[in-house]
Amino acid sequence: MKLTDSPFDHLATARALLLEPFDLDESRLQDALASVFTHRADYADLYFQYTRNESYSLEEGIVKSGSFDIQQGVGVRAVVGDKTAFSYSDDISAAALMEAAEAVRSIARVGGGTRRVGPLAPRSAVPLYGAADPVASLDAAAKVKLLERLEQFARARDPRVKQVMANVGAEYDVMLVARSDRHADGVIAADVRPLVRMSLTVIAEQDGRREQGFSGGGGRFDLAYYTDAVLAGYARQAVDMALTNLAAKPAPAGVMTVVLGPGWPGILLHEAVGHGLEGDFNRKGSSVFSGRVGQRVASKGVTVIDDGTLQDRRGSLSIDDEGNPTSRTVLIEDGILRGYIQDSLNARLMKVAPTGNGRRESFAHLPMPRMTNTYMLGGKHAHDEIIRSVKKGIFASNFGGGQVDITSGKFVFSMAEAWLIEDGKLAAPVKGATLIGNGPDALTRVTMIGDNMALDSGIGTCGKEGQSVPVGVGQPTLRIEGLTIGGTG
């Protein structure tokens, strides 16, 4: 597939891959939508998808696994008020499409509908990435060679590296959505979405002690991104993390000042705050942010953005899975809550505009409001200035896993790499530290914001209600007062 700057080329690609081989065209899609509207429905859409994935994993110097799969199908949805009916099929055909449409219209009241569905007008958006097929960008031998080179860089970094585990994956995803409601003509839109991801885990050993480090990255481009310079950078980051943890002592426990590093530590913002700003939780009143638009929810200077329009980023989409262009949505501005992340259903029920955040894992899943790239804007303080300002505390430069309760905002996160701060300087590295707190409360405890906002390297995947989608996170260095550290010392 050639690179393209035209969104209508994406539509042509989707037609050729998802409609024409199955003797489908816009008129048949209109018929399926019209079948739903013979009953009294508010909204209906058809979501077609073709996805091709390939991945390889290396361990102990050899490729331990490889996988390749192709999935395709169509999902049909009907909405009446706040009720949704959904049916899907991996058989793309006129018969399967009509059967699914007839099934979902059962949610609506009989009568009062109309078979007329207006022409499906093409909807375009500015493409945020090329349409190249990353799966086809390198042959199998070259993909394995990437992993071997990554292992070589990691082992050459330090003789204490005893084990290297690496994975590379590529995905070529083509989607097409056709939709209509009872008040407007139809829309048809499509997107071609490349995605690659590489991950590296190393285990280093010294004096019988073993510790690990990790790194990786990716985005919406092809495998040519992984040059030797990029691979060497991943190796350096992962090995240095493992060596730092070899020298780490048990972390202290207690309430203290915490400094979060830039980039990936934004995962805390994503989990502890971002999910609470999704429209469905707020419409239902189950989020701690419900009904608080216009109120102060964070310290002055805290501005949080969800932006699906960043070029080539893992969490970006030219259009969302409902055919709406993604947007740069200001969620919190200078500490004031400005709005929520919205898909079409929750936006309509809350009487606001959708923000282009309707996302689904696949054609077999319902869309819901989901984050894209969520980050905090930078402030005025230099990173070193923030460290120097702390008499005693913890600097968390990298995070591992965590858990969050959306209703209460309470979170627990493990620190993958952390340091004691003593008298304004980084002292000894520590391990076994966990960060315990409440997301909305933590935002009010931010006292210094760095001028070094950075996005993560392109590794994030977000789970919600059993669905996983690629996302991005980011933030500058932050000083936060009075957080609880769960330690081992």
Side-chain angles (χ1 to χ4, degrees):
M1 181 62 59
K2 65 182 177 68
L3 292 175
T4 178
D5 292 322
S6 170
F8 295 109
D9 283 356
H10 292 191
L11 185 54
T13 297
R15 284 190 181 112
L17 198 57
L18 290 165
L19 300 183
E20 294 167 7
F22 309 102
D23 196 27
L24 295 174
D25 57 20
E26 275 85 340
S27 66
R28 288 186 180 269
L29 305 190
Q30 285 179 244
D31 288 344
L33 290 169
S35 176
V36 176
F37 286 106
T38 57
H39 291 189
R40 190 174 296 173
D42 294 323
Y43 175 89
D45 62 19
L46 319 172
Y47 184 86
F48 296 83
Q49 185 181 31
Y50 169 93
T51 305
R52 186 164 70 250
N53 286 283
E54 186 175 28
S55 67
Y56 293 91
S57 295
L58 178 144
E59 188 175 346
E60 298 175 350
I62 61 174
V63 174
K64 286 291 184 74
S65 65
S67 66
F68 179 85
D69 67 86
I70 297 175
Q71 296 184 17
Q72 63 183 25
V74 58
V76 181
R77 175 175 61 147
V79 177
V80 180
D82 62 353
K83 298 184 298 180
T84 299
F86 181 66
S87 179
Y88 70 91
S89 172
D90 56 9
D91 172 23
I92 300 179
S93 67
L97 191 59
M98 292 302 293
E99 183 178 353
E102 291 167 4
V104 300
R105 77 182 182 197
S106 62
I107 193 175
R109 287 181 293 168
V110 176
T114 173
R115 280 198 62 85
R116 182 185 179 278
V117 171
L120 299 177
R123 169 168 286 183
S124 64
V126 177
L128 301 173
Y129 31 79
D133 178 357
V135 178
S137 63
L138 292 177
D139 62 22
K143 290 166 186 160
V144 171
K145 186 67 175 177
L146 284 178
L147 297 179
E148 292 173 343
R149 290 288 290 158
L150 184 57
E151 182 187 39
Q152 291 167 6
F153 283 125
R155 291 190 181 277
R157 180 77 178 166
D158 194 279
R160 288 169 288 182
V161 173
K162 301 302 180 185
Q163 192 169 358
V164 177
M165 294 155 283
N167 175 271
V168 63
E171 177 179 287
Y172 179 66
D173 183 41
V174 181
M175 57 77 71
L176 181 147
V177 60
R179 71 180 205 212
S180 188
D181 61 43
R182 61 181 178 177
H183 302 299
D185 288 339
V187 168
I188 186 169
D191 198 12
V192 179
R193 300 167 174 171
L195 188 65
V196 297
R197 185 181 190 273
M198 180 172 283
S199 61
L200 170 67
T201 300
V202 302
I203 297 177
E205 183 176 357
Q206 181 177 349
D207 300 329
R209 177 175 173 177
R210 296 167 68 89
E211 296 291 347
Q212 72 174 21
F214 62 86
S215 65
R220 296 199 177 278
F221 31 72
D222 65 28
L223 294 168
Y225 173 78
Y226 297 116
T227 62
D228 276 1
V230 171
L231 299 181
Y234 293 160
R236 180 174 59 254
Q237 181 181 351
V239 173
D240 288 359
M241 182 188 298
L243 298 182
T244 295
N245 287 330
L246 277 178
K249 64 181 186 179
V255 177
M256 61 186 72
T257 299
V258 175
V259 177
L260 304 181
W264 179 246
I267 189 65
L268 189 149
L269 179 75
H270 168 103
E271 295 288 359
V273 177
H275 279 296
L277 297 174
E278 291 170 337
D280 48 355
F281 296 126
N282 288 280
R283 177 176 65 82
K284 297 170 185 176
S286 58
S287 168
V288 290
F289 293 104
S290 297
R292 299 188 64 188
V293 172
Q295 298 180 17
R296 177 165 296 282
V297 296
S299 299
K300 286 185 66 64
V302 171
T303 296
V304 178
I305 308 289
D306 185 85
D307 191 349
T309 70
L310 301 177
Q311 193 80 25
D312 294 334
R313 295 298 305 181
R314 178 174 171 84
S316 295
L317 297 171
S318 298
I319 59 171
D320 72 0
D321 293 328
E322 298 178 310
N324 294 314
T326 53
S327 62
R328 182 183 187 275
T329 304
V330 178
L331 302 172
I332 299 172
E333 183 178 29
D334 198 21
I336 306 299
L337 181 61
R338 295 302 184 194
Y340 307 117
I341 295 165
Q342 299 287 4
D343 65 345
S344 293
L345 185 152
N346 288 283
R348 182 167 58 252
L349 294 173
M350 295 178 74
K351 295 181 172 56
V352 296
T355 57
N357 288 86
R359 304 190 64 186
R360 59 176 100 199
E361 180 177 326
S362 77
F363 68 88
H365 298 83
L366 279 169
M368 63 181 83
R370 304 292 301 271
M371 285 173 276
T372 55
N373 304 295
T374 309
Y375 55 91
M376 184 186 298
L377 295 185
K380 62 182 181 180
H381 298 283
H383 172 86
D384 291 345
E385 176 191 359
I386 295 175
I387 297 294
R388 288 196 302 269
S389 73
V390 179
K391 179 72 174 175
K392 184 176 182 180
I394 291 280
F395 170 56
S397 57
N398 219 321
F399 277 114
Q403 294 181 334
V404 179
D405 183 323
I406 301 301
T407 302
S408 67
K410 294 180 180 178
F411 62 79
V412 179
F413 275 88
S414 63
M415 299 182 190
E417 186 176 21
W419 300 73
L420 279 176
I421 305 175
E422 294 180 347
D423 296 322
K425 297 179 181 179
L426 296 184
V430 295
K431 70 181 300 288
T434 56
L435 188 61
I436 304 167
N438 177 285
D441 177 65
L443 285 184
T444 67
R445 296 174 178 269
V446 175
T447 57
M448 297 179 78
I449 302 173
D451 60 5
N452 57 342
M453 196 287 286
L455 297 170
D456 75 293
S457 61
I459 60 174
T461 298
C462 173
K464 177 180 176 182
E465 297 183 18
Q467 294 192 44
S468 296
V469 296
V471 296
V473 300
Q475 67 173 40
T477 300
L478 299 177
R479 173 175 168 159
I480 307 177
E481 305 300 327
L483 293 184
T484 299
I485 302 296
T488 53

